[in-house]
Amino acid sequence: MVFIFLSDGSGVTRQAVVAIIMDYAKIPTKFVGSTYFNGKDAMRREYPKRPWVGVGIMVFKDGKILLGRRAKEPRRGQWSIPGGTIELGEMARDAAIREIREEFAIEIEVIKFFDVFDRIFRDSEGRVQFHYVLVEFVARYTSGELQPSDDVDAAEWADPKNLAKYKLPEDQLAAIGRAMKEFRF
């Protein structure tokens, strides 16, 4: 076991401590600076050891649904139902509200839990590159001016009758149809 004590003015940087620990633990250097070992995430999102748990939020306003074009992997450049990962100690409903606020600068009211979806993306060799389990909610817009953040490069209130141009995954299209029918948006 190795103990490292740091005090103000020690001159030891966080990077030096990470390098010492990684060398001691024999963690491959390809993970240096990645989300595998950055003090924030306990594991990497790409090629994870287990699934990440997140939320998906179908937000409705005046009969339209909120869609975002992803600015990050997986599915960068593609339209999707908004969502994101749940933070440690955070309730799923609170994560839904936070993600919409952070990504789109609007406020919502979560109406109901809707479903659970698996998002598994494999690389060209068949390895799991990304794996998310998403708790899906239905919500209604309450206030704010739609402004995409760095996680999405575009946002639109889409007419559910004209979703073909967004090229959404089939399960998202089916979920939107079910939500529209069930909640009569």
Side-chain angles (χ1 to χ4, degrees):
M1 182 174 288
V2 173
F3 293 95
I4 300 173
F5 296 95
L6 297 176
S7 61
D8 292 335
S10 68
V12 179
T13 66
R14 181 180 175 281
Q15 290 80 10
V17 172
V18 168
I20 291 166
I21 293 170
M22 291 185 80
D23 182 58
Y24 178 78
K26 304 297 184 229
I27 298 171
T29 57
K30 70 179 182 178
F31 297 138
V32 175
S34 73
T35 57
Y36 181 85
F37 197 85
N38 68 6
K40 180 179 176 186
D41 294 321
M43 65 180 208
R44 300 176 305 147
R45 291 187 190 203
E46 192 169 13
Y47 298 104
K49 293 181 187 260
R50 64 182 56 93
W52 281 81
V53 179
V55 293
I57 313 99
M58 290 185 283
V59 181
F60 291 92
K61 174 187 175 187
D62 301 327
K64 295 186 176 181
I65 185 163
L66 177 62
L67 297 178
R69 190 171 58 206
R70 298 185 54 83
K72 298 179 180 179
E73 294 295 347
R75 298 188 69 239
R76 181 184 1 222
Q78 298 178 26
W79 290 92
S80 181
I81 292 171
T85 58
I86 299 172
E87 295 177 356
L88 183 65
E90 183 177 43
M91 302 295 286
R93 283 179 180 264
D94 295 335
I97 293 166
R98 176 186 52 75
E99 284 291 337
I100 294 297
R101 184 179 295 136
E102 287 176 0
E103 292 183 8
F104 300 96
I106 63 171
E107 298 299 321
I108 61 169
E109 174 191 359
V110 173
I111 298 171
K112 184 179 179 184
F113 160 79
F114 187 72
D115 207 341
V116 174
F117 293 99
D118 294 293
R119 287 278 176 267
I120 302 170
F121 301 90
R122 296 185 184 274
D123 66 14
S124 60
E125 297 173 10
R127 297 178 302 163
V128 174
Q129 186 173 4
F130 297 97
H131 186 174
Y132 296 92
V133 176
L134 301 175
V135 179
E136 194 77 24
F137 290 98
V138 173
R140 76 171 49 95
Y141 163 88
T142 59
S143 66
E145 186 69 29
L146 196 59
Q147 298 174 3
S149 72
D150 61 345
D151 286 343
V152 290
D153 60 17
E156 290 185 18
W157 292 107
D159 184 341
K161 296 175 188 159
N162 299 316
L163 293 177
K165 73 176 187 176
Y166 298 99
K167 299 179 182 172
L168 298 172
E170 288 298 318
D171 61 344
Q172 286 188 14
L173 289 170
I176 292 167
R178 285 182 21 230
M180 293 288 295
K181 190 175 185 179
E182 183 177 338
F183 296 97
R184 302 187 189 279
F185 287 110

